[in-house]
Amino acid sequence: MRFATRLLLVQLITVAAVLAVCATAFGWLGVRQLRAESEASALNIARTVAEDPEVRALVAEFSADPGTPDAAALRGGDLDRLAAGVAGRTDALFVVITDDHGIRLAHPNAELLGQVVSTPFEEVLEGNEVVDWETGTLGESARAKVPVYPPGTAAAPVGEVSVGFERASVFDDLPALLVSIVIAVAAALGLATLATLLLRRRFERLTLGLQPEELVALVQNQAAVLDGVDDGVIALDPDGIVRVCNSAAERMLRLDDPVGRPIDRLGLPVEVLEGLRSGAAANGVVVGDRVLYLDARPVSHGARPLGEVVVVRDRTDLEALASRLETVGAMTEALRVQRHEFANRLHVAAGLLDAQRVPDARAFLGDLLDRGSVDFAVAGIERVPDPLLQSLLGAKSIAAGERGVALRVSDDTLVIGTLSAVEDVAAILGNLLDNAVVAAVSGDAPAWVEVALLGDADELVIAVSDSGGGIRPGLDPFQRGAEQSGDTEDDAGRVHGRGFGLPLSRELARRVGGDVWLIDGGGDGRGAVFGARIPGALRQDKTEHTP
């Protein structure tokens, strides 16, 4: 049985039980009210008869006679006629009048006149009024007994007046009362059934027809999935209100209690909101120092749209690794070219020796020793003793030369030691050089990029400047789309195609305790200068020098 059906039955049974209790209570109260009304009527009639002067005088006269009244004389007498008239007018079962010994002076049954009444009368003769249900010679009735006092005095009672109503007449209105209660109960039960059916329909619409057991399993699975994955998950309803947001999404997007708030009021980047509004995936969004990929997909149940689910993936490490691999690939290519050219030069030297041209071979080797194994088109490359840094600068100089930019090493360069953190240095320095080359291309000719490298114990400090037009005032070069130092309205966001270079460089440097920052924004014909500090990038060679 479905939960909605069980809920309907439970509600109907509950309502029926409540209605049964209420009907019983109202019925009981109705019976009590009818009894009270009949008792009050009997008491009022009895009081009226007992106060009648004629009744008081006749009863006092009979009580004063020490003998027993003659039954024959009582039949049709004044008291008997008066009592019969009152009973007829009030529809009472009986109106009985007695003397102070309980002898019936008036009674509906003439054969009982002159006899003692069948019910107690002592309390009434003590001056008390008695109202009760009793069973007498005429059956069970609601009766009231009132003392009769002598005329003109409040002395001891000289008799009593007893008025009773038949049980059947008392409850004449009971069937109508019960019918009214039944009708009210049926109407209430019908309304409860209708309300329960509407509630059931509403419940099934809200739960999409799912049963509580299915909802519990769904919540458990949702909690397990949302808390068990590293990706961020955000669920939006059709109105753009955040309904679900796991801790990973809050951490990556830097959200604070987003559930229940509109997505466009959470302070998210504009391109994220545009991607969500258009229904397309927004890739490569820089939030702080993280690179995030967002995938938005609509969700529906049948033909009913339920909103969207946005999956947020942190791709900072992947982008950093890709940048490192790109730079290492360039270095590898440069080393391959260096090896090839060095082999060619060895062949030249070997040819000179084979031709017995020893002086020429000596001069060639001496010149090779002075200039290095490969002639990179980098002015001041001899100031960089590390072969890996030489290869990186050589590879970047080749790429820059293809774009008409000259790469040179500053006179202030001083690096002691060998490179140890190859990937980090290659990624950070490579991104800074690529950024500077783009800026230099956008500036006035001649275009150039200058790099200064300083070794401080195990730290490598880098400064990269260019001949570009500088950074526009108010622009943050570490935000996506504004990365290159020569940023203009037309070339914004062209670095690496997505604008991740500087944010990634800063993230890589900060991971090892360093940083990347803007030294000088330039402008007015001056290019920008960026600085970087990479702890642990150098390894000092322990060599002994003899005097």
Side-chain angles (χ1 to χ4, degrees):
M1 183 182 297
R2 295 174 62 84
F3 174 78
T5 303
R6 296 199 304 268
L7 180 62
L8 173 64
L9 293 178
V10 170
Q11 288 179 332
L12 290 180
I13 292 174
T14 303
V15 171
V18 172
L19 291 176
V21 172
C22 293
T24 302
F26 279 116
W28 180 75
L29 292 175
V31 171
R32 289 291 302 272
Q33 183 177 2
L34 291 175
R35 288 169 60 99
E37 289 178 354
S38 62
E39 292 172 354
S41 298
L43 180 61
N44 291 331
I45 294 171
R47 286 174 176 174
T48 302
V49 174
E51 291 295 331
D52 187 279
E54 183 180 358
V55 172
R56 295 176 67 178
L58 291 174
V59 172
E61 181 181 345
F62 280 107
S63 296
D65 187 357
T68 299
D70 184 18
L74 295 174
R75 294 187 186 99
D78 293 337
L79 288 177
D80 194 32
R81 288 195 309 271
L82 188 148
V86 173
R89 290 191 301 271
T90 59
D91 293 329
L93 176 63
F94 61 84
V95 176
V96 176
I97 302 175
T98 69
D99 61 7
D100 56 353
H101 293 87
I103 302 299
R104 297 184 180 96
L105 303 177
H107 195 277
N109 189 349
E111 297 179 355
L112 298 178
L113 292 174
Q115 298 180 16
V116 178
V117 294
S118 60
T119 57
F121 58 89
E122 292 80 5
E123 185 177 355
V124 179
L125 294 179
E126 293 177 357
N128 300 317
E129 293 179 345
V130 177
V131 179
D132 198 1
W133 285 71
E134 293 180 339
T135 301
T137 57
L138 297 178
E140 185 181 10
S141 61
R143 61 184 65 189
K145 298 177 182 180
V146 176
V148 178
Y149 293 95
T153 180
V158 294
E160 72 168 358
V161 175
S162 177
V163 178
F165 284 92
E166 187 179 8
R167 181 183 184 89
S169 65
V170 171
F171 298 111
D172 283 343
D173 296 333
L174 185 60
L177 177 63
L178 295 178
V179 170
S180 301
I181 293 176
V182 171
I183 293 176
V185 168
L189 190 60
L191 290 176
T193 303
L194 178 61
T196 303
L197 290 175
L198 294 177
L199 181 61
R200 173 187 178 183
R201 181 179 179 183
R202 178 64 174 171
F203 177 79
E204 290 186 342
R205 288 185 60 187
L206 291 176
T207 61
L208 304 177
L210 298 176
Q211 299 303 300
E213 297 82 3
E214 297 173 326
L215 292 175
V216 171
L218 184 62
V219 171
Q220 292 175 341
N221 294 336
Q222 172 184 294
V225 171
L226 294 181
D227 296 335
V229 298
D230 294 332
D231 293 341
V233 178
I234 302 176
L236 307 176
D237 65 8
D239 297 327
I241 307 298
V242 178
R243 297 304 178 189
V244 176
C245 183
N246 65 351
S247 57
E250 292 182 1
R251 183 183 67 255
M252 287 187 284
L253 293 176
R254 300 184 177 183
L255 303 178
D256 183 19
D257 193 19
V259 177
R261 298 165 58 191
I263 188 68
D264 55 358
R265 297 183 183 178
L266 299 180
L268 294 175
V270 176
E271 50 193 355
V272 174
L273 298 178
E274 291 178 351
L276 295 178
R277 293 191 187 101
S278 63
N283 294 326
V285 179
V286 177
V287 179
D289 55 2
R290 312 301 294 174
V291 179
L292 307 178
Y293 278 39
L294 293 93
D295 188 9
R297 297 184 181 182
V299 180
S300 61
H301 183 78
R304 178 183 177 186
L306 302 180
E308 287 184 320
V309 172
V310 182
V311 180
V312 184
R313 298 181 177 91
D314 190 347
R315 290 296 180 264
T316 305
D317 294 336
L318 183 60
E319 291 293 334
L321 180 60
S323 178
R324 290 175 177 178
L325 291 177
E326 180 182 352
T327 305
V328 171
M331 292 176 59
T332 303
E333 180 64 20
L335 291 173
R336 186 190 65 79
V337 172
Q338 182 181 14
R339 181 187 62 81
H340 181 71
E341 186 169 348
F342 183 70
N344 291 337
R345 293 187 179 187
L346 289 181
H347 285 301
V348 172
L352 292 174
L353 292 175
D354 291 340
Q356 301 296 322
R357 298 171 57 182
V358 176
D360 293 336
R362 185 182 296 276
F364 178 77
L365 291 176
D367 182 63
L368 180 62
L369 182 62
D370 293 335
R371 293 187 295 106
S373 59
V374 180
D375 289 333
F376 287 118
V378 181
I381 188 68
E382 67 277 359
R383 301 186 184 93
V384 181
D386 186 82
L388 292 176
L389 282 176
Q390 283 188 3
S391 301
L392 175 60
L393 294 174
K396 292 299 181 182
S397 68
I398 295 174
E402 294 175 351
R403 305 189 64 176
V405 179
L407 177 64
R408 67 192 184 204
V409 178
S410 172
D411 295 339
D412 298 330
T413 295
L414 177 61
V415 178
I416 300 175
T418 58
L419 200 61
S420 59
V422 180
E423 292 85 356
D424 288 338
V425 173
I428 296 172
L429 180 57
N431 279 323
L432 292 178
L433 290 175
D434 291 338
N435 181 57
V437 168
V438 174
V441 171
S442 64
D444 298 333
W448 55 265
V449 172
E450 184 176 85
V451 56
L453 302 172
L454 298 174
D456 182 9
D458 64 341
E459 286 190 352
L460 179 63
V461 180
I462 304 172
V464 178
S465 58
D466 58 69
S467 61
I471 297 177
R472 191 170 62 246
L475 181 68
D476 184 0
F478 293 95
Q479 291 294 328
R480 179 187 174 186
E483 186 171 316
Q484 64 277 14
S485 59
D487 184 30
T488 65
E489 291 294 332
D490 297 330
D491 62 7
R494 292 188 300 166
V495 177
H496 303 296
R498 294 189 299 274
F500 294 151
L502 284 176
L504 279 178
S505 298
R506 171 177 280 183
E507 170 66 13
L508 291 174
R510 288 179 175 178
R511 287 186 181 183
V512 296
D515 200 1
V516 175
W517 67 96
L518 176 64
I519 298 176
D520 184 2
D524 296 331
R526 295 182 298 107
V529 181
F530 284 88
R533 182 175 60 85
I534 310 173
L538 298 177
R539 179 178 60 251
Q540 302 299 322
D541 295 330
K542 296 181 180 180
T543 58
E544 295 182 358
H545 300 277
T546 57

